Amino acid sequence: MFLTMRRQVLLFLSALCLSCALGQVSYSVPEEMTKGSVVGNIAHDLGLDLKRLKSGKARVYTGASVEYIGLNKDRGVLLIQERIDREALCGETTPCALHFQLILENPMELFRVTVEITDINDNTPSFTNAEKRFEISESAVIGSKFILDKAIDSDIGMNGLQRYSLSPADNFVLKSGNQADRSKKVEMVLQKPLDREKQDHISLLLTAVDGGEPQMSGTMQIFVNVLDANDNAPTFSKPLYRAKILENSPKGTSVTTVSASDKDIGSNREVSYLISTTERLLSNLFKIDSKTGEIMLVGEIDYEKAKIYEMDIEAVDSGGLSDSTKVIVDVIDINDNNPHINIVSKSDSISEDSPPNTVIAMLSVNDPDSESNGEVECNIDPNIPFKIQTTLNGFYTLVTEVALDREIASQFNISVTCSDEGVPSLSSSVTLTLQISDVNDNAPVFERSSYEAYIVENNTPGLSIFTVRARDADWNQNARVSYILEDSSVNGVPVSSYVSVSADSGVIHAVRSFDYEQIKDFHFRVKAQDGGSPPLSSNVSVKIIIQDQNDNPPQVLYPVQTGGSLVAEMVPRSADVGYLVTKVVAVDVDSGQNAWLSYKLQKATDRALFEVGLQNGEIRTIRQVTDKDAVKQRLTVIVEDNGQPSRSATVIVNVAVADSFPEVLSEFTDFPHDKEYNDNLTFYLVLALAVVSFLFITCLVVIISVKIYRWRQSRVLYHSSLPVIPYYPPRYSDTLGTGTLPHVYNYEVCRTTDSRRSDCKFGGAGSQNVLIMDPSSTGTMQRMQSEKSILDEPDSPLEVGPNVVISL
């Protein structure tokens, strides 16, 4: 009961002596405290909140040693969780202390804690042997010394061994003195001469007493056998011997040799050497030759277990006289231990946007070797974005050095190598695997800066045109790309009525059927957006080009096919080979080869007289015109494009072969719908004179009618969806470059008094001979010379020179 109260008082006093500074706190507790005893309130002493202990997963880290001290996070106190025996823990080392760390996470923090273990008087002084025997000559002189075994008390300080007592004290007294290692040696000194005849055996009791409360003691029985005459004791040459030996030295290695001399002669001077039996552990490590005094190694020594060994050597002569000396063996350290790396705490993954100096791991490194053999330096690969820093003694933190990018490296295998400074150097390594988690820091990127696709007109709605693709360097949801059609308009119509885009695949579909003649191309933009939060996006320009199909036939612009009259081109009989009769002008609103036109003569009254230019549509004579050629010539020309399949149009060209208008009239009266006329030329002359006045009025009406008709034709072409390619004969120029009419022709007809002769001149002001035959007329003929064509108006697609109109 008294001992328990005493421990509680010691605990209270120890708690008052704690100190905390710069992340370090110290406590002092007595040994042998019961499990669950409070060491101290570390949360209060470190200024930590109890919530911080829980959220930071506070724990005690002792390395590989036994955890004598535990942490109660609910109360914030340190508790005894294993029995602490100071003697087993520290032996004679003082002060005796436990060193450990308190570690917190999120963020990582480390505090060093020192708990000093104070001694209590829980060990009794004891002797190795229960008895000791001496054989002492009766001639031993007063003052002769006899070495006694020292008592062993594992306690220290006042609780340790304090004094010895010897009883009875008739012949011998005790003498104690300090040795070189500051321990007390015990000697029994003869103070009264021995007399074997009176007493040949003496029994003594040696008592060892400590200074603890309560006081404890141990005893050893001493038996003295009194012998005859040996009055000189051996004497060592040195009171203290020092030796050095390398750790891990092989067995049989000589440590040192001790020497003692005896002034006696004969058998009384023979000296035997022995190691004091009080050094129980040393007998397994060292052995002394009893004759020579050579001390040899017989066991294995390890600097990390013991750095120094001390032993008492006795020299005893045959008469029982003895002397002692101390041998101190210093163990020299060699570099035989690799640094030990222990991962205290680590993170398996961090975000790629973590700032520099983010702690990812904490390591504890120690090397039990001494001096430079135990000095450790840790390094990592310099080519990775991390660095290792030292914090407290033996503790390292692994932190990020720069900003990370998961798209460059999503995982790191970090090898930490710790090397000591021994020769040769020893090292240890540990590899940490760190995953880099993704953040949405990359926008989708299209494979091209812009897209251009083609689609043939008259497509079916819903047809897939092509696919846009964008890639996102991020991962998982952050890399999931959706495609969106940006709002815009084409010719005032929303682009969504033209095309649509698949959100998942980026496939662009046609919403409607396209017509090349209405729209040839259009632009729009597609946006690619990832699934991050917030989402990132980019866009790309897309151009859709409509390709032409041969879906339009050629359109004949000249000669104009009228319903009520017949238009005829007049060719004089004096015309030479190659005479230009007229030119068939046609256009095709398609494009490319679909608009390449070719002209062929399908039917003709006389196929041997005329030919049609394949590319330009020019109708020319291929032989000399003769008087035998019929006046009335009817040509059927077919115009074909170059599409697949080909489309065509047909035009009928009437040609009058004559040198005078009466001759023309006489022949053209033979058309099936003409009436029977008198062949009498006088009748026609009279008739011509009769209708002179009417012809003027008719000419005006015709001019106005033709003008209105041409204007209406131009308006029809203007309002159609087809491109208008006006024809202006004879000053026509093919400005579209379609190849339909590749040349410019200007014609002028010069008449002489001889109507059978004419001159065709190129390059002058345009004029053309045109015969308009009206089947419903009564044979009246009027010739009209127009100074300015009625088709010179801006909206007119044709320009015609002076006309010759014959109404029959």
Side-chain angles (χ1 to χ4, degrees):
M1 180 68 179
F2 177 80
L3 181 59
T4 302
M5 293 179 62
R6 183 171 181 269
R7 289 180 177 179
Q8 293 176 350
V9 172
L10 289 173
L11 175 61
F12 175 75
L13 294 176
S14 300
L16 293 178
C17 296
L18 65 87
S19 63
C20 178
L22 297 176
Q24 179 171 325
V25 62
S26 300
Y27 300 93
S28 179
V29 297
E31 66 176 330
E32 303 293 345
M33 291 184 68
T34 59
K35 293 183 180 180
S37 300
V38 177
V39 176
N41 191 333
I42 192 168
H44 175 271
D45 298 334
L46 291 177
L48 298 174
D49 190 2
L50 294 180
K51 295 180 180 180
R52 171 62 178 139
L53 294 179
K54 295 179 181 179
S55 65
K57 300 179 181 179
R59 68 182 187 277
V60 170
Y61 175 76
T62 61
S65 61
V66 179
E67 289 189 8
Y68 293 101
I69 308 297
L71 172 66
N72 187 319
K73 290 185 282 188
D74 296 327
R75 298 166 55 192
V77 297
L78 297 176
L79 302 177
I80 300 294
Q81 64 181 24
E82 293 291 340
R83 172 182 171 272
I84 303 176
D85 185 355
R86 191 205 65 80
E87 288 73 26
L89 185 63
C90 300
E92 295 183 1
T93 303
T94 183
C96 180
L98 293 173
H99 300 280
F100 56 91
Q101 290 76 34
L102 180 66
I103 296 177
L104 299 176
E105 298 182 359
N106 300 321
M108 292 185 182
E109 293 182 281
L110 183 144
F111 304 92
R112 171 172 280 182
V113 182
T114 302
V115 178
E116 182 180 0
I117 310 301
T118 60
D119 184 57
I120 63 174
N121 192 25
D122 59 341
N123 290 284
T124 301
S126 63
F127 292 90
T128 303
N129 298 315
E131 64 180 36
K132 187 172 180 64
R133 296 183 180 274
F134 291 95
E135 291 183 350
I136 304 175
S137 174
E138 65 179 347
S139 62
V141 298
I142 296 174
S144 297
K145 297 181 292 183
F146 304 92
I147 304 300
L148 302 178
D149 293 340
K150 293 184 291 184
I152 299 174
D153 192 342
S154 299
D155 296 325
I156 60 173
M158 290 300 298
N159 295 326
L161 180 64
Q162 297 297 318
R163 59 186 178 84
Y164 294 90
S165 65
L166 182 66
S167 64
D170 297 333
N171 298 96
F172 298 92
V173 294
L174 288 178
K175 179 182 179 183
S176 62
N178 294 329
Q179 290 184 309
D181 61 340
R182 299 188 297 276
S183 65
K184 293 181 180 298
K185 68 178 180 178
V186 183
E187 297 175 331
M188 184 174 65
V189 181
L190 181 65
Q191 68 173 355
K192 182 180 177 181
L194 300 176
D195 189 354
R196 192 190 66 82
E197 287 72 26
K198 292 182 179 181
Q199 188 180 12
D200 59 346
H201 290 90
I202 300 173
S203 179
L204 303 172
L205 183 65
L206 178 63
T207 304
V209 182
D210 65 20
E213 289 292 335
Q215 193 176 60
M216 306 178 75
S217 64
T219 61
M220 180 180 69
Q221 192 75 35
I222 302 175
F223 298 99
V224 179
N225 184 22
V226 182
L227 302 176
D228 263 0
N230 184 23
D231 55 354
N232 288 288
T235 303
F236 280 100
S237 60
K238 292 190 294 185
L240 176 66
Y241 289 85
R242 297 196 72 100
K244 294 181 179 180
I245 187 172
L246 290 173
E247 68 169 328
N248 299 330
S249 293
K251 295 179 181 180
T253 301
S254 176
V255 179
T256 189
T257 300
V258 297
S259 177
S261 61
D262 194 319
K263 295 181 180 180
D264 293 325
I265 61 173
S267 62
N268 291 331
R269 67 175 300 172
E270 293 179 359
V271 178
S272 297
Y273 301 95
L274 58 93
I275 298 175
S276 175
T277 56
T278 58
E279 311 292 344
R280 287 174 294 184
L281 297 177
L282 295 178
S283 61
N284 298 324
L285 299 176
F286 301 97
K287 180 181 179 181
I288 189 169
D289 189 313
S290 61
K291 298 299 183 181
T292 63
E294 182 182 11
I295 301 174
M296 292 177 294
L297 181 67
V298 295
E300 296 180 352
I301 57 175
D302 189 349
Y303 176 85
E304 286 69 46
K305 293 181 179 179
K307 299 175 178 59
I308 189 171
Y309 293 96
E310 299 179 5
M311 64 187 84
D312 292 324
I313 306 298
E314 294 182 14
V316 182
D317 63 16
S318 59
L321 300 179
S322 64
D323 192 12
S324 67
T325 187
K326 179 173 284 295
V327 177
I328 298 178
V329 180
D330 294 314
V331 181
I332 300 175
D333 181 46
I334 62 175
N335 192 26
D336 60 344
N337 290 279
N338 294 72
H340 179 68
I341 304 173
N342 189 27
I343 301 175
V344 178
S345 180
K346 73 181 184 70
S347 299
D348 293 328
S349 67
I350 61 172
S351 176
E352 65 174 320
D353 61 350
S354 298
N357 296 318
T358 298
V359 178
I360 60 174
M362 183 176 290
L363 308 175
S364 172
V365 183
N366 72 300
D367 191 323
D369 293 323
S370 65
E371 298 179 352
S372 61
N373 294 332
E375 295 180 3
V376 179
E377 181 178 357
C378 295
N379 296 285
I380 62 174
D381 186 352
N383 297 321
I384 59 176
F386 303 96
K387 61 182 178 180
I388 190 167
Q389 299 174 331
T390 181
T391 53
L392 299 176
N393 185 25
F395 282 85
Y396 294 84
T397 56
L398 190 63
V399 300
T400 58
E401 187 173 23
V402 296
L404 304 176
D405 189 347
R406 190 206 66 83
E407 288 67 48
I408 297 178
S410 62
Q411 175 180 300
F412 290 95
N413 292 321
I414 308 170
S415 294
V416 181
T417 301
C418 297
S419 305
D420 60 29
E421 296 185 5
V423 179
S425 177
L426 300 178
S427 63
S428 298
S429 298
V430 65
T431 299
L432 306 176
T433 299
L434 181 66
Q435 301 289 339
I436 310 301
S437 58
D438 185 52
V439 296
N440 191 28
D441 57 349
N442 288 278
V445 177
F446 282 96
E447 294 176 346
R448 304 180 190 173
S449 59
S450 63
Y451 289 87
E452 187 175 278
Y454 297 85
I455 183 173
V456 179
E457 66 172 330
N458 303 319
N459 59 286
T460 57
L463 177 68
S464 173
I465 303 176
F466 76 109
T467 302
V468 294
R469 295 189 185 278
R471 302 188 183 275
D472 196 309
D474 293 320
W475 182 76
N476 206 359
Q477 185 66 26
N478 295 332
R480 188 169 299 166
V481 179
S482 299
Y483 301 93
I484 303 169
L485 185 64
E486 290 191 350
D487 292 336
S488 62
S489 61
V490 178
N491 297 333
V493 179
V495 71
S496 58
S497 65
Y498 284 84
V499 292
S500 65
V501 61
S502 174
D504 295 328
S505 63
V507 177
I508 295 178
H509 297 271
V511 175
R512 61 165 64 176
S513 178
F514 297 109
D515 187 352
Y516 175 83
E517 286 70 42
Q518 291 182 351
I519 181 171
K520 293 179 174 54
D521 60 68
F522 60 94
H523 297 261
F524 58 92
R525 299 186 73 83
V526 176
K527 179 171 71 175
Q529 179 174 289
D530 61 27
S533 180
L536 301 177
S537 63
S538 61
N539 52 37
V540 68
S541 176
V542 179
K543 181 180 181 181
I544 302 297
I545 300 174
I546 314 301
Q547 291 183 321
D548 183 47
Q549 271 190 332
N550 192 25
D551 57 346
N552 292 281
Q555 294 181 354
V556 178
L557 302 181
Y558 186 85
V560 178
Q561 302 295 290
T562 59
S565 61
L566 297 176
V567 179
E569 303 291 341
M570 191 169 71
V571 177
R573 293 186 180 276
S574 60
D576 296 327
V577 176
Y579 177 83
L580 178 62
V581 178
T582 186
K583 180 177 182 178
V584 177
V585 180
V587 295
D588 194 319
V589 295
D590 292 324
S591 67
Q593 67 177 9
N594 294 329
W596 296 352
L597 301 181
S598 59
Y599 302 84
K600 298 178 182 178
L601 184 61
Q602 188 180 38
K603 294 180 181 180
T605 303
D606 186 354
R607 296 186 66 91
L609 181 57
F610 302 100
E611 68 174 359
V612 179
L614 181 63
Q615 302 297 333
N616 54 26
E618 294 178 348
I619 299 176
R620 294 180 179 270
T621 59
I622 58 176
R623 63 176 175 80
Q624 181 71 42
V625 180
T626 65
D627 294 337
K628 296 180 180 181
D629 292 325
V631 175
K632 181 177 61 178
Q633 298 285 335
R634 184 182 180 89
L635 309 178
T636 301
V637 179
I638 184 170
V639 184
E640 292 182 340
D641 59 29
N642 198 35
Q644 293 295 331
S646 174
R647 291 176 177 266
S648 63
T650 303
V651 60
I652 296 175
V653 179
N654 294 304
V655 178
V657 180
D659 291 328
S660 63
F661 286 106
E663 184 182 359
V664 173
L665 292 176
S666 64
E667 290 294 332
F668 275 85
T669 56
D670 294 335
F671 282 163
H673 54 270
D674 291 341
K675 296 180 181 180
E676 292 295 334
Y677 293 101
N678 195 323
D679 292 335
N680 194 314
L681 181 59
T682 305
F683 173 77
Y684 288 105
L685 294 176
V686 173
L687 181 60
L689 293 175
V691 296
V692 168
S693 59
F694 176 75
L695 183 58
F696 178 75
I697 298 173
T698 303
C699 183
L700 291 178
V701 173
V702 171
I703 291 174
I704 295 173
S705 298
V706 172
K707 181 175 178 63
I708 294 174
Y709 174 77
R710 299 303 185 196
W711 178 82
R712 290 184 63 188
Q713 287 289 93
S714 66
R715 300 306 297 174
V716 171
L717 292 175
Y718 177 77
H719 289 291
S720 70
S721 60
L722 303 175
V724 177
I725 308 176
Y727 173 71
Y728 299 93
R731 295 190 302 273
Y732 170 77
S733 175
D734 181 10
T735 60
L736 296 180
T738 62
T740 303
L741 299 172
H743 302 288
V744 177
Y745 293 97
N746 295 323
Y747 307 100
E748 181 181 9
V749 178
C750 302
R751 290 291 184 181
T752 64
T753 55
D754 185 357
S755 62
R756 296 182 58 87
R757 297 180 181 179
S758 64
D759 182 23
C760 184
K761 181 172 63 178
F762 296 86
S767 65
Q768 185 106 1
N769 290 326
V770 180
L771 294 180
I772 300 178
M773 303 302 175
D774 188 355
S776 61
S777 65
T778 58
T780 305
M781 178 184 69
Q782 181 181 6
R783 180 185 177 112
M784 181 184 65
Q785 178 71 32
S786 174
E787 296 296 330
K788 181 178 182 182
S789 174
I790 60 173
L791 301 180
D792 285 338
E793 296 296 329
D795 294 337
S796 176
L798 297 174
E799 181 181 343
V800 183
N803 297 299
V804 176
V805 180
I806 302 175
S807 297
L808 300 178

